[in-house]
Structure formats: C-alpha cells, structure tokens
Amino acid sequence: MAKKPENKNYKVVAENRRARYDYAIEDDLEVGIILTGSEVKSLRNGQSNIADSYASVDDGELWLTNAYIAPYDRAMFSHDERRKRKLLASKREVAKLWNATKREGMTLVPLVMYFNDRGLVKLKIATAKGKKHHDKRQSEAKRDWGRQKQRLLRHGD
C-alpha cells in the first residue's frame, strides 16, 4: 500500500498541555477562528499562548477570551494581543456547548490551536469538568505508574 504524503501545511501553533491535568475532558470540537492579518502572520511565526484562555457562549455566539497572540512587528495596523476572538461553529454546536456550560456546569477549554491541511487556523476546544485535588493526584499516580512500567519493560529489571 502506498504511504500517504506528509501534509506540509499542518502545524501546531499553541497547545494547552495543562488542560488535561486540570480538567476531565468529556468531548472535543474543532472550530474556526476569526483573525486579522497581523494575527495570522504572528501565528505563522509561532508566537502565541492559549494556556490561560477559555471559551464561552455569549448571545448565541462562541468567543475565545484571553488567548495571547504576539503583535507582528512589521504590521502596518497592529492588533490587541489579548482581545476576544469570535469562534466559528454551527448553531447546533453552539447550542450544545451552551447547554453543557449553563445546565451541566462544564467549562469550555481550548486544547490546541493549529493550521489545518488547507492552511486555515483551527482551534480544538473541549467541554470539561474541573478536577478536584484528589483526582489530580490519581492522574499523577497513573502517569507515574505508566512511566515506571515502560522503564521496567525497556530494561527488563
């Protein structure tokens, strides 16, 4: 069978690695994001951070709040680094996210911001529940056991 050619346009720009530690991820969704030209140029340089950001549903629209995209130094018209950015999703998906946040008490957490195979910026958001302290300890113990198991299998001790 022929091997698929590697996609040159796909590039992870920012990743929220702490989200899987702090939250129990229930479901994830890929959404588009509305950006200005200088923001896209800055993202192509890899200058962004979504670790402290969150998504919310306001007036039937999905918004990304507190995501950092560095200013592009050669832009004629610069952008605000931490402005609210509108996310693109269907009405049905937005309604489902609204139900999850308002009725079920869940949080919308951004996981990864990336350029897809067509070169468009996409954001993967997840509906999640916050973990308690004992849940975090349990996750940490599970991760440590996985590492120890791999070490034992590798060395055969």
Side-chain angles (χ1 to χ4, degrees):
M1 228 177 167
K3 190 176 179 183
K4 237 184 185 178
E6 186 177 318
N7 190 349
K8 295 178 182 173
N9 289 333
Y10 184 82
K11 178 184 173 187
V12 174
V13 178
E15 187 173 7
N16 189 355
R17 298 177 71 184
R18 186 148 175 95
R20 296 195 188 277
Y21 178 74
D22 289 336
Y23 298 97
I25 306 296
E26 298 289 326
D27 191 24
D28 63 343
L29 174 69
E30 180 185 67
V31 295
I33 183 168
I34 296 178
L35 299 171
T36 62
S38 62
E39 289 172 330
V40 175
K41 289 282 197 179
S42 182
L43 287 176
R44 292 232 180 255
N45 290 339
Q47 301 173 347
S48 66
N49 186 4
I50 58 171
D52 298 329
S53 62
Y54 62 94
S56 61
V57 179
D58 296 328
D59 296 328
E61 294 178 336
L62 193 58
W63 295 90
L64 178 67
T65 306
N66 205 25
Y68 175 78
I69 299 177
Y72 187 64
D73 55 347
R74 292 189 279 172
M76 188 178 300
F77 301 107
S78 188
H79 61 272
D80 185 22
E81 297 146 5
R82 293 199 180 267
R83 71 178 181 91
K84 281 179 78 172
R85 294 170 177 91
K86 188 173 180 180
L87 300 176
L88 304 172
S90 70
K91 286 183 182 181
R92 182 177 291 149
E93 290 169 339
V94 172
K96 191 189 308 183
L97 294 174
W98 184 85
N99 283 332
T101 57
K102 298 297 183 205
R103 293 185 181 162
E104 299 171 22
M106 300 181 104
T107 307
L108 299 178
V109 181
L111 298 176
V112 181
M113 184 184 291
Y114 59 94
F115 286 97
N116 69 356
D117 57 346
R118 292 177 40 203
L120 301 174
V121 179
K122 296 292 182 176
L123 183 72
K124 187 172 281 195
I125 60 171
T127 53
K129 286 189 178 183
K131 286 185 183 177
K132 303 282 189 237
H133 188 63
H134 63 275
D135 293 333
K136 291 180 186 179
R137 279 197 310 252
Q138 190 177 28
S139 297
E140 203 169 308
K142 192 183 217 182
R143 184 179 65 228
D144 289 344
W145 167 241
R147 286 181 186 159
Q148 187 177 3
K149 189 167 55 172
Q150 287 297 322
R151 203 173 301 130
L152 288 172
L153 288 172
R154 187 171 39 241
H155 296 297
D157 293 329

